[in-house]
Amino acid sequence: MKNNIKKDNQAKLDISAEKIVENMTTSKQYNLFKDAMMRLFANKLAVIGMIIIMTLIFVAIFGPNLTPYDFLTQDLSIRNQGISINHLFGTDDLGRDVLSRIIYGARTAVIIAFSITIMSFIIGVVMGSIAGYAGGKVDHAITWLMDIIMSIPSLLLVIVLNVSLKPPITNWMNDLYLSTQNSFFRETIWVDFILVFGSLSLIKWPKAGRIIRGQILSVRNQNYVVAAKAIGVPTSKIISRYVVPNCLGPIIVMISATLGEAMVMESAFSFLGVGVRPPMPSWGNMIRDGLRVWHIYPHLLVAPATVL
């Protein structure tokens, strides 16, 4: 009797095991990317934010080709006009279409935001990885450097770099133009871009470096890192292949925050006259120009400020 019961139980276990194996072989393979996309699109706020970001990038890339006016075209006969069918955001004091300048200003904002974010995170990841993984005196030296940079007022650093570096660079480009007659060297607007990129990257990288350093301090003693050391994997490969990829979560969050912050900082510096300068449109210098006459022509202030 007992033997029959054992056989029945064993048969049931065998059938259950076969069903489990069958379900495992017939079920679809689990896809982390698909699961992440489903969770993303289930979050309405995330979808709205993604639409805004994609719209901004689209306008920055293709917008200047879609506007009916060039952002530099001047027509003094229609200066300071209000909102109309021909000029949806009106015109400024030189008769330039405000909408066209705002759209082109989106390109300025996106280029600077992505450039600053990429440059600052490259520097931050490298310096933070070295500090967190090496430890000791190297960690103390890099951490001290981060503290020094973060203690300097950002506006002061940008002003000093612009005032001290722009005149010699501009003079050098003028000399090159006179000797080569190459029109590229007359476009000193690139000096503004480079100085803004460089100065804001110097301001932003310590934050990224601190985050990376903290993550690496918690990761470097994990078993897979110790095992990689034990089998003789080079330090550079351990950092790039095993340590940094396991710190990507905070990096992605920091990147998303830095993009918006970089746009606001660039506009603030342009507003104060130490960033991108006219005639290149920037939301910051458009707001500055509109602030002077906002009580007479409010559209010159409201339009760029609302977009920013």
Side-chain angles (χ1 to χ4, degrees), residues 4 15 55 62 65 72 84 115 117 141 152 154-155 162-163 169 196 206 211 213 219 240 259 268 277 280 288:
N4 292 333
I15 293 172
T55 302
F62 301 106
N65 298 323
L72 289 175
S84 64
S115 300
T117 302
I152 300 174
S154 57
L155 179 60
N162 276 267
V163 172
I169 294 176
V196 171
I211 291 177
R213 174 183 173 273
V219 169
S240 62
L259 286 171
R277 301 182 185 181
M280 181 62 67
R288 181 191 60 201

Side-chain angles (χ1 to χ4, degrees), residues 113-130:
F114 276 92
S115 300
I116 291 170
T117 302
I118 292 170
M119 289 168 58
S120 63
F121 269 88
I122 289 175
I123 300 172
V125 167
V126 172
M127 299 297 286
S129 299
I130 295 173

